[in-house]
């Protein structure tokens, strides 16, 4: 039973345009949602997060939106750059669950074309 | 300030052998987590440890897999009698306390290939 779902395995975007990566979840008890970026042969690196009590968090070109009623969040990258090409993982954190372990989606591979 | 260090980066084992994966957390981090990424899959939680204690091993297979985080030295993920299905990337992560809005810091992973 997947608690965090990323239904698009891949996304291709032109440089300079907006990239929108989506994530759905099933557990309304999650406290934080995080986005990680992963390059091949490297570990995931933290990108941005949002508390469950917020609906938007922005950091430079990256903005995360949270829609609690729809149990949906999205990551917007504007403008997209070729260096953004990577796999993006959505993750959720539940302090009341298993001592705070992160639950990851399957990832979305973003390709930004010059 | 070194990050999370994992070694080896690549490990090849024949079926039936043992695999030992090591993880040194970031300085000051006392919480260690192991995740596994199978081909075409996301990151699956395996185990969460603090020094000398297993806090949560709900994601770890009941047989052949074990983990430890001794008082001194790195955390070790041990897989006995490996099978082809164990081939995956194994990532270790650490945090200074129970994870917060920054989540965990991950290492570069160990890629295990069972032949």
């Amino acid at each position: 039973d997947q608690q965090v779902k990323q239904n698009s395995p891949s996304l291709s975007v032109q440089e300079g345009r907006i990239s929108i990566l989506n994530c759905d979840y099933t557990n309304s008890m999650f406290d934080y949602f995080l986005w990680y970026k992963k390059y091949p042969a490297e570990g995931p690196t933290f990108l941005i997060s949002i508390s469950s009590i917020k609906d938007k968090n922005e950091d430079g070109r990256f903005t995360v939106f949270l829609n609690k009623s729809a149990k949906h969040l999205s990551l917007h990258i504007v403008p997209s750059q070729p260096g953004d090409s990577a796999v993006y993982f959505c993750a959720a954190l539940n302090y009341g669950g298993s001592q705070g372990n992160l639950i990851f989606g399957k990832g979305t591979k973003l390709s930004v074309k010059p | 300030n070194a990050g999370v260090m994992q070694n080896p980066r690549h490990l090849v084992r024949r079926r039936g052998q043992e695999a030992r994966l090591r993880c040194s957390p970031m300085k000051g981090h006392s919480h260690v987590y192991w995740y596994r990424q199978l081909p075409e899959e996301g990151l699956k939680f395996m185990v969460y440890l603090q020094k000398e204690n297993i806090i949560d091993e709900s994601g770890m297979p009941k047989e052949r897999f074990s983990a430890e985080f001794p008082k001194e030295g790195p955390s070790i993920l041990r897989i006995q009698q490996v099978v082809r299905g164990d081939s995956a990337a194994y990532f270790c992560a650490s945090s200074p306390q129970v994870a917060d809005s920054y989540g965990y810091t991950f290492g570069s992973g160990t890629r295990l290939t069972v032949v």
Side-chain angles (χ1 to χ4, degrees):
Chain A
D1 178 32
Q2 258 191 294
Q3 296 189 60
V4 178
K5 298 178 185 179
Q6 292 178 259
N7 292 319
S8 298
S10 63
L11 174 68
S12 184
V13 170
Q14 204 68 32
E15 180 179 5
R17 306 295 288 267
I18 184 171
S19 295
I20 301 177
L21 296 101
N22 294 304
C23 178
D24 297 295
Y25 61 95
T26 56
N27 186 351
S28 58
M29 301 301 291
F30 286 131
D31 300 291
Y32 274 100
F33 299 92
L34 302 89
W35 286 93
Y36 279 80
K37 178 179 179 180
K38 185 182 180 301
Y39 292 117
E42 294 184 14
T45 55
F46 170 79
L47 190 57
I48 191 170
S49 66
I50 187 167
S51 165
S52 62
I53 62 173
K54 305 278 189 183
D55 54 21
K56 178 182 174 181
N57 187 27
E58 189 173 353
D59 183 3
R61 297 186 297 115
F62 303 91
T63 303
V64 56
F65 296 93
L66 176 61
N67 182 336
K68 284 186 286 294
S69 60
K71 292 193 176 72
H72 176 84
L73 66 153
S74 59
L75 174 68
H76 293 214
I77 307 174
V78 183
S80 302
Q81 299 174 353
D84 296 329
S85 297
V87 177
Y88 289 78
F89 289 100
C90 173
L93 182 65
N94 177 10
Y95 288 124
S98 301
Q99 302 275 346
N101 76 72
L102 285 176
I103 300 171
F104 284 85
K106 290 191 175 184
T108 297
K109 183 175 182 179
L110 173 65
S111 299
V112 181
K113 303 196 181 302
Chain B
N1 183 18
V4 178
M5 304 301 292
Q6 288 189 251
N7 67 82
R9 287 296 303 272
H10 300 275
L11 182 61
V12 179
R13 283 288 176 267
R14 294 188 184 280
R15 280 179 296 169
Q17 289 184 321
E18 178 179 289
R20 281 188 178 232
L21 289 65
R22 294 173 185 76
C23 169
S24 295
M26 280 189 71
K27 188 175 180 180
H29 287 194
S30 58
H31 298 239
V32 166
Y33 314 83
W34 286 92
Y35 284 78
R36 175 165 69 172
Q37 185 181 22
L38 294 166
E40 309 302 322
E41 294 287 325
L43 293 151
K44 298 285 189 185
F45 167 77
M46 298 182 75
V47 62
Y48 162 36
L49 310 104
Q50 294 181 32
K51 284 285 186 183
E52 299 184 280
N53 283 307
I54 296 175
I55 307 301
D56 180 357
E57 57 183 348
S58 59
M60 202 145 71
K62 296 282 187 283
E63 297 178 355
R64 303 189 297 107
F65 285 73
S66 62
E68 62 177 8
F69 187 17
K71 188 176 180 181
E72 301 291 338
S75 175
I76 306 286
L77 179 67
R78 183 181 176 206
I79 312 172
Q80 295 178 291
Q81 299 172 352
V82 296
V83 301
R84 288 230 170 96
D86 297 332
S87 295
Y90 292 81
F91 292 96
C92 171
S94 70
S95 65
Q97 54 195 17
V98 175
D100 57 15
S101 59
Y102 293 98
Y104 313 148
T105 302
F106 281 84
S108 296
T110 293
R111 275 139 194 89
L112 172 65
T113 302
V114 180
V115 298

